[in-house]
């Protein structure tokens, strides 16, 4: 596995097959780092759709958490969606989450310590799939679920 660029954790966060690094090389700073949130959210949604076989858009998701950010006191930082497919004994219920996080330095946790759009999916019912977590790394997010 490859270590995430810019990670300050010891040991550094290791990228998995569910992660993608969209940071510029070298990483952008200041205003040049802004504006990638929509692209990263679209990548997370595309990965969810490929993995689950669903054909979702962000309109299918409900905003479940907001935070104070650069552009608004109520910047969406978490979206959730639930879908049931199939019927009878082959019914599956998918749970899907897309979120925006920027973990403060020194904060506890197992996740990455760089700004990212995260995504999770899992399903119950017929042929269940355990929770899968992925991250699309960018240089900057305008708000975060986690604050200092």
């Amino acid at each position: 596995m490859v270590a995430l660029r810019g990670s300050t954790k010891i040991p550094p966060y290791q990228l998995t097959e569910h992660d993608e690094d969209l940071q510029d090389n070298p990483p952008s700073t200041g205003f040049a780092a802004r504006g990638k949130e929509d692209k990263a959210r679209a990548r997370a949604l595309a990965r969810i759709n490929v993995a689950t076989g669903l054909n979702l858009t962000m309109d299918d998701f409900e905003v479940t958490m907001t935070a104070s950010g650069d552009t608004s006191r109520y910047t969406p930082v978490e979206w959730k969606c639930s879908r049931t497919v199939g019927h009878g004994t082959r019914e599956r219920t998918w749970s899907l989450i897309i979120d925006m996080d920027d973990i403060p330095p020194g904060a506890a946790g197992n996740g990455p310590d760089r700004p990212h759009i995260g995504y999770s999916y899992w399903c119950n019912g017929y042929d269940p799939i355990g929770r899968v977590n992925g991250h699309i790394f960018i240089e900057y997010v305008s708000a975060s679920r986690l604050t200092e």
Side-chain angles (χ1 to χ4, degrees), residues 65-86:
M65 186 182 292
T66 60
S68 182
D70 289 355
T71 57
S72 170
R73 289 183 58 201
Y74 304 104
T75 302
V77 293
E78 183 180 87
W79 300 261
K80 290 184 179 179
C81 178
S82 180
R83 282 289 182 272
T84 300
V85 296

Side-chain angles (χ1 to χ4, degrees), residues 3-83:
L4 173 63
R5 289 183 296 142
S7 180
T8 58
K9 284 187 151 188
I10 308 286
Y13 179 81
Q14 300 294 309
L15 296 172
T16 71
E17 68 272 14
H18 303 291
D19 297 329
E20 188 173 348
D21 190 351
L22 295 184
Q23 300 177 87
D24 291 330
N25 193 8
S28 298
T29 58
F31 284 109
R34 297 172 186 244
K36 292 186 179 178
E37 290 172 8
D38 291 339
K39 180 180 177 183
R41 208 168 21 252
R43 288 292 269 245
L45 184 60
R47 284 175 166 254
I48 286 172
N49 284 335
V50 166
T52 63
L54 301 171
N55 188 20
L56 302 171
T57 66
M58 284 307 292
D59 292 336
D60 296 316
F61 285 75
E62 175 185 344
V63 174
T64 55
M65 186 182 292
T66 60
S68 182
D70 289 355
T71 57
S72 170
R73 289 183 58 201
Y74 304 104
T75 302
V77 293
E78 183 180 87
W79 300 261
K80 290 184 179 179
C81 178
S82 180
R83 282 289 182 272

